Amino acid sequence: MGLAFILALITGVSIVIVGLGFNMWAPLFYGVIAGAFVGNLELGLYVGSICALMAIGFYTYGGATMPDFSIGAIFGVFMASQTLAKGAGPAEMRLAVDTALPVVAAIALLMSLFDILGRASTTVFQHGGDAALAKRNVASFQRWHLAGTIPWALSRAIPVFIGMLFINQYQVLADNIAQLAWLQRGLAVVGASLPAVGFALLLSYMEITTYWPYMLAGYVLFAFLGLPTVALAIIGVAAAGLYMKGKKDLAKGGV
């Protein structure tokens, strides 16, 4: 009960803070938070990163409602931790996460309905604020504005609170899904395609036509030489530094 209340409070307050310009609503962030609660930050990073890639495939860039993989990451971490033995290796962790992912996707899709409900309910407070401004009552307008954050916060807090109270039931659901081999294979294909869509969207926003040699070099270093992500990042920073230095030297030569 206490854990459900804490997570509901965190998610409810965070979604309101997002409206102030502080974007804390990210699957990786909440995966790490859930990992801290279960005492396994590595699991939180793993589930959060997968959910982040799945979310990228759904980004509308200007649209409103989309599946909420931040909430999905929270439940994914708790579900995976229930089937993960203490001191388990990477293979066992991957198996536990794969078991949880179908339910994560279902929860993320379900949360889109709560998002719509939260957005629709705020229109009542918006009309109240408009009426207060029409009467030039600034104090009343401010109260309506602040009150409008309540249903927006509850749109995340309530499902998280109820879901955490029945977290064990999600494990039963995951076990039933695991018995349906054909459904599990279908969900695995869909889940694997979402990160690909996410990467495609990211590539579409990059200057690939100009910097394609760097992309090919990074691909070779990762796919054929097996360099870790940190090493690739350091090489990328070094390549960017050399590129900028070359442009600066070229500009000086032109002058």
Side-chain angles (χ1 to χ4, degrees), residues 126-143:
Q126 182 178 358
H127 289 308
D130 291 340
L133 282 181
K135 298 176 181 178
R136 299 187 178 183
N137 190 339
V138 177
S140 178
F141 168 77
Q142 292 174 340
R143 287 193 296 269

Side-chain angles (χ1 to χ4, degrees), residues 23-244:
N23 192 3
M24 302 169 55
W25 207 255
L28 185 59
F29 178 72
Y30 288 96
V32 172
I33 290 179
F37 275 107
V38 301
N40 194 336
L41 288 177
E42 184 179 1
L43 177 64
L45 284 169
Y46 188 23
V47 174
S49 60
I50 292 177
C51 289
L53 289 174
M54 294 173 71
I56 290 175
F58 279 102
Y59 282 153
T60 55
Y61 296 100
T65 299
M66 58 172 283
D68 196 337
F69 284 96
S70 295
I71 302 298
I74 294 176
F75 287 99
V77 171
F78 276 92
M79 283 192 57
S81 67
Q82 291 180 357
T83 59
L84 192 63
K86 189 174 182 180
E92 291 81 3
M93 182 180 295
R94 180 178 179 83
L95 180 61
V97 173
D98 287 344
T99 304
L101 283 181
V103 182
V104 168
I107 291 174
L109 290 170
L110 178 63
M111 287 304 302
S112 63
L113 301 179
F114 284 95
D115 184 82
I116 295 172
L117 181 62
R119 293 176 187 273
S121 61
T122 56
T123 57
V124 176
F125 300 89
Q126 182 178 358
H127 289 308
D130 291 340
L133 282 181
K135 298 176 181 178
R136 299 187 178 183
N137 190 339
V138 177
S140 178
F141 168 77
Q142 292 174 340
R143 287 193 296 269
W144 277 108
H145 180 74
L146 292 175
T149 62
I150 296 175
W152 189 232
L154 293 178
S155 68
R156 266 64 178 185
I158 290 177
V160 169
F161 181 76
I162 296 176
M164 288 305 302
L165 289 181
F166 298 96
I167 187 65
N168 292 329
Q169 300 301 319
Y170 288 108
Q171 183 57 51
V172 174
L173 179 59
D175 293 338
N176 292 331
I177 292 177
Q179 295 175 3
L180 302 174
W182 61 271
L183 180 59
Q184 189 175 16
R185 287 195 298 269
L187 291 171
V189 172
V190 174
S193 67
L194 292 178
V197 174
F199 278 119
L201 286 171
L202 286 177
L203 291 174
S204 67
Y205 280 85
M206 296 180 182
E207 291 289 342
I208 299 300
T209 55
T210 303
Y211 304 111
W212 61 268
Y214 298 97
M215 183 188 70
L216 292 180
Y219 176 77
V220 171
L221 291 173
F222 176 78
F224 294 97
L225 300 182
L227 291 182
T229 305
V230 175
L232 290 173
I234 295 173
I235 293 174
V237 172
L242 290 175
Y243 177 79
M244 296 303 296

